[in-house]
Amino acid sequence: MKLPKQLWIMILLLLTFSHFATAQISVTRQKVTKDISMEVPESFIPMSQSELIGKYVSSRTPIAMYTSEDRNIDLGINETSSTWAGDDLPILQAFYKANIANLFTEVEFLQEEIREIGGRPFIVFEFISKITDEESTFGGNSSISKYTYIQYTLRNNKVLLFNFTCPLRARPQWQETAQRMMESVRIKS
């Protein structure tokens, strides 16, 4: 059976575009602090102080914040000021799950578990969130959907959190890389 030339061109274009959509993102191990290292995309840059202030409201400066060149995808490492005992991970997991659910209009959890990474227990959440502004400036509903991979661990009775966020439309390109980055976290105690 002979296929028309146009069909061959379409097949070739689809294969080409699917290759680019799933091309692996290049990462390199970064020493975030003297005790924390992880893989970070080579194209990411440290977020400036003004970008931090404009994007994130927090009383504490993060340990590190990286962003993509287009400033749409972020990776953050932070430590909370509150203290938790080492055996409180299930309570901490329930606490953070409830907080995540309350931050957004809708949340679909893709993954929620406690698992060992680099020899230490982490609480892991992977989810899709949606925030809807029902009183948008131009009338009607306005919404923002994001893909997030966030994990928490305890160090010196403080919570360390690692957070990757991108627009939902970028999830197919970034999900595997986000998982790989989070699996690469290493913390010296």
Side-chain angles (χ1 to χ4, degrees), residues 1 16 22-23 27 40 59 62 67-68 78 83 94 99 104 108 113 119 131 135 145 154 159 178 188:
M1 181 170 144
T16 302
T22 59
V27 295
V40 175
S59 59
T67 190
S68 59
N78 208 346
T83 58
N99 280 341
F104 305 102
E108 176 190 351
E113 65 179 338
I131 295 178
E135 296 180 22
S145 297
L154 294 173
V159 178
K188 296 178 188 173

Side-chain angles (χ1 to χ4, degrees), residues 84 87-96 114 123:
W84 289 84
D87 56 353
D88 282 348
L89 281 181
I91 295 168
L92 190 63
Q93 180 183 19
F95 173 78
Y96 278 116
I114 296 174
I123 299 164

Side-chain angles (χ1 to χ4, degrees), residues 29 35-39 89 111-126 149-154 160-163 178-189:
R29 181 156 291 280
D35 296 328
I36 301 170
S37 70
M38 69 182 294
E39 291 181 358
L89 281 181
Q111 179 182 180
E112 54 178 298
E113 65 179 338
I114 296 174
R115 101 164 146 245
E116 191 169 301
I117 299 170
R120 87 175 28 246
F122 277 84
I123 299 164
V124 176
F125 293 110
E126 184 178 21
Y149 194 115
I150 189 167
Q151 62 188 30
Y152 308 84
T153 192
L154 294 173
L160 275 177
L161 64 102
F162 300 81
N163 182 21
Q179 292 168 345
R180 195 170 76 234
M181 286 188 299
M182 295 303 187
E183 288 286 332
S184 77
V185 172
R186 298 296 176 263
I187 302 167
K188 296 178 188 173
S189 295

Side-chain angles (χ1 to χ4, degrees), residues 128-129 145-147 166-172:
I128 295 169
S129 62
S145 297
K146 297 214 173 212
Y147 164 75
C166 70
L168 183 57
R169 64 180 156 57
R171 175 184 170 203

Side-chain angles (χ1 to χ4, degrees), residues 3-180:
L3 294 175
K5 184 177 181 180
Q6 293 160 330
L7 186 57
W8 281 111
I9 292 171
M10 286 185 64
I11 291 171
L12 181 62
L13 285 172
L14 282 172
L15 290 172
T16 302
F17 287 122
S18 67
H19 166 75
F20 286 117
T22 59
Q24 203 167 46
I25 295 162
S26 184
V27 295
T28 183
R29 181 156 291 280
Q30 296 282 325
K31 194 168 185 171
V32 179
T33 69
K34 66 181 178 94
D35 296 328
I36 301 170
S37 70
M38 69 182 294
E39 291 181 358
V40 175
E42 290 179 358
S43 62
F44 275 29
I45 56 175
M47 197 176 283
S48 72
Q49 191 66 30
S50 62
E51 287 172 318
L52 270 173
I53 293 167
K55 259 185 154 174
Y56 297 99
V57 177
S58 177
S59 59
R60 295 177 56 87
T61 303
I63 293 171
M65 285 295 294
Y66 300 94
T67 190
S68 59
E69 291 172 338
D70 65 4
R71 308 303 195 266
N72 285 324
I73 302 166
D74 296 334
L75 171 65
I77 300 98
N78 208 346
E79 182 177 67
T80 64
S81 58
S82 55
T83 58
W84 289 84
D87 56 353
D88 282 348
L89 281 181
I91 295 168
L92 190 63
Q93 180 183 19
F95 173 78
Y96 278 116
K97 182 177 181 180
N99 280 341
I100 290 167
N102 284 324
L103 285 173
F104 305 102
T105 309
E106 295 175 31
V107 177
E108 176 190 351
F109 286 95
L110 307 172
Q111 179 182 180
E112 54 178 298
E113 65 179 338
I114 296 174
R115 101 164 146 245
E116 191 169 301
I117 299 170
R120 87 175 28 246
F122 277 84
I123 299 164
V124 176
F125 293 110
E126 184 178 21
F127 59 91
I128 295 169
S129 62
K130 183 177 185 179
I131 295 178
T132 303
D133 178 6
E134 294 176 0
E135 296 180 22
S136 151
T137 305
F138 301 106
N141 289 348
S142 169
S143 65
I144 298 171
S145 297
K146 297 214 173 212
Y147 164 75
T148 299
Y149 194 115
I150 189 167
Q151 62 188 30
Y152 308 84
T153 192
L154 294 173
R155 182 181 70 157
N156 302 327
N157 291 332
K158 301 279 185 177
V159 178
L160 275 177
L161 64 102
F162 300 81
N163 182 21
F164 173 87
T165 305
C166 70
L168 183 57
R169 64 180 156 57
R171 175 184 170 203
Q173 181 184 2
W174 284 94
Q175 185 171 14
E176 184 180 313
T177 301
Q179 292 168 345
R180 195 170 76 234

